[in-house]
Amino acid sequence: MAAISEPADLVDPREVTLAALFFGFLRIALSGFGGVLAWARWLIVEQRRWLSDQDFTNVLSLCQFLPGPNIVNVSIYVGGHFRGPLGAIVAFSGLMGAPTAIALVLGALYQHFGDLAIVRGGFAGISAAAAGLVIATGLKMAAPYRGRPISFGFGLLAFGAVGPLRISMVAVLAALAPLSIAVAWLRRR
Amino acid sequence: MKPGDVLLQLALQFAMLSLIAVGGANAVVPEMHRFFVESRGWLSDSEFADLFAIAQAAPGPNVMIVGLLGWQVAGILGAVVATVAMCGPSGLLIYGVGRVWHRFRGKPWRAAVQTGMAPLTVGLILASGYILARAADQGWSGYAVTAATVALVLTTKLHPLWLLGAAAVLGCLGLV
């Protein structure tokens, strides 16, 4: 992966062992409530100096551009860059293992106590707020498109078709993605 | 239905979602809802909303919702199968493409693909928020909490956990 440069102030890649990858991504996972990308950047760039800032931005833009959970993609890319396929698997396991175990324990508590009125009430509150967090994230991402009616229109179409109209996402993407990319191509500078 | 049959369905569904999840796990929440609630009838609206709430409230990546959904219908094995299926196909893709991606730097088609896909991603995230709000909110007070959360996130720098915690307290008091 020659996209990644190796300035002198970065760590020696040989120091990025399987154990370092596992515990590094474990720490990223457990630091982040509701989104871990900011923690990933902090640990990978600033604290451990595995990648330069520019390299991390490049990696992240690729991981956001390709399908799949973004932070999972980052773990697989970074693990693979330093330690090949095994490194990718180890980094992924570090990222997902502990959070999944914690979530399942919470899930088991929910199954046991989910019928209690006070727990039902608590979940009614949390799930309403969780929906609000997702909507707010979407609105923040939408803000840069305010002055760009064509992009705004494509976003609105995707929202309307998949949300209120409940059309299958595969069908919506198959219809809108080629159109939106073609328009972006024709309007390129 | 045999247990293996459920696992196979989980694996196929999430492997497919893995490859269309542009914008991450939260962008395919509408499809997860369609599969688990509408098509298979494995979960009710409020169970789906509750599991999503757990995934948001626990530390870790958003994609944990996938493990929770798999676990709810097929136990620990279901959680593992769903998580690996959701991350495997896209993981292979990033591993392969990562090795050649730098060659396309500055190519105009790459910029056009990114520019074209970005607004669709935003639309899909908002559609997820819409589906979650519909699934979670059974009355005006739920919608009020959702709206208040949106307003607070957009106007303050409060940590999301405070908002989830405050909503949980309101709910425990029977106000939601």
Side-chain angles (χ1 to χ4, degrees):
Chain A
M1 297 186 191
I4 292 182
S5 54
E6 281 160 26
D9 60 334
L10 292 182
V11 296
D12 184 337
R14 282 170 300 184
E15 284 178 33
V16 187
T17 60
L18 288 176
L21 285 169
F22 182 86
F23 288 108
F25 277 97
L26 176 67
R27 181 156 175 206
I28 289 171
L30 293 183
S31 304
F33 285 90
V36 292
L37 279 174
W39 288 99
R41 194 198 149 277
W42 174 79
L43 184 133
I44 292 170
V45 175
E46 293 178 23
Q47 205 234 355
R48 303 283 165 91
R49 289 178 296 128
W50 289 348
L51 301 178
S52 73
D53 209 356
Q54 185 58 49
D55 290 335
F56 184 80
T57 303
N58 288 341
V59 169
L60 185 60
S61 93
L62 175 65
C63 292
Q64 289 176 326
F65 162 70
L66 289 179
N70 297 332
I71 183 65
V72 169
N73 281 351
V74 169
S75 76
I76 289 172
Y77 188 111
V78 171
H81 169 69
F82 287 108
R83 285 282 171 264
L86 190 59
I89 292 169
V90 164
F92 169 73
S93 308
L95 180 74
M96 291 303 295
T100 301
I102 293 171
L104 294 190
V105 168
L106 292 175
L109 289 173
Y110 164 75
Q111 273 190 336
H112 253 84
F113 302 107
D115 293 333
L116 296 178
I118 189 167
V119 179
R120 284 259 26 93
F123 267 105
I126 298 177
S127 55
L133 292 182
V134 176
I135 293 172
T137 304
L139 289 177
K140 277 185 183 172
M141 291 167 74
Y145 294 103
R146 261 181 302 198
R148 297 156 60 188
I150 293 177
S151 298
F152 194 90
F154 273 114
L156 200 62
L157 278 175
F159 165 76
V162 174
L165 297 181
R166 302 303 334 255
I167 300 170
S168 148
M169 204 181 127
V170 180
V172 172
L173 281 179
L176 290 183
L179 262 180
S180 182
I181 292 168
V183 170
W185 173 260
L186 293 173
R187 291 166 52 88
R188 74 187 187 278
R189 296 272 176 266
Chain B
M1 200 157 42
K2 283 177 291 191
D5 199 33
V6 174
L7 289 177
L8 184 66
Q9 288 192 44
L10 284 175
L12 291 175
Q13 175 69 13
F14 280 115
M16 187 272 287
L17 291 187
S18 176
L19 291 176
I20 63 166
V22 287
N26 274 359
V28 287
V29 164
E31 290 307 297
M32 296 184 205
H33 180 271
R34 179 200 308 284
F35 181 74
F36 281 87
V37 179
E38 293 170 29
S39 150
R40 295 301 186 274
W42 286 338
L43 300 174
S44 70
D45 251 344
S46 69
E47 282 173 325
F48 185 88
D50 288 351
L51 290 177
F52 187 82
I54 292 174
Q56 288 279 301
N62 295 329
V63 68
M64 285 183 317
I65 177 64
V66 168
L68 276 168
L69 290 170
W71 169 78
Q72 182 79 11
V73 298
I76 298 282
L77 204 53
V80 174
V81 166
T83 303
V84 171
M86 181 72 190
C87 302
S90 53
L92 284 174
L93 192 64
I94 189 94
Y95 194 87
V97 173
R99 295 178 171 275
V100 295
W101 185 244
H102 62 280
R103 289 189 210 149
F104 305 129
R105 195 178 293 179
K107 288 272 202 299
W109 65 262
R110 184 178 140 175
V113 171
Q114 279 178 321
T115 310
M117 290 305 292
L120 300 183
T121 301
V122 178
L124 293 175
I125 299 276
L126 284 169
S128 293
Y130 172 86
I131 299 290
L132 287 166
R134 292 295 301 268
D137 299 341
Q138 310 299 330
W140 68 268
S141 55
Y143 286 112
V145 169
T146 304
T149 308
V150 173
L152 285 170
V153 172
L154 294 181
T155 56
T156 68
K157 294 207 177 295
L158 279 176
H159 194 284
L161 265 192
W162 287 111
L163 301 172
L164 293 180
V169 171
L170 285 177
C172 288
L173 295 173
L175 296 174
V176 180

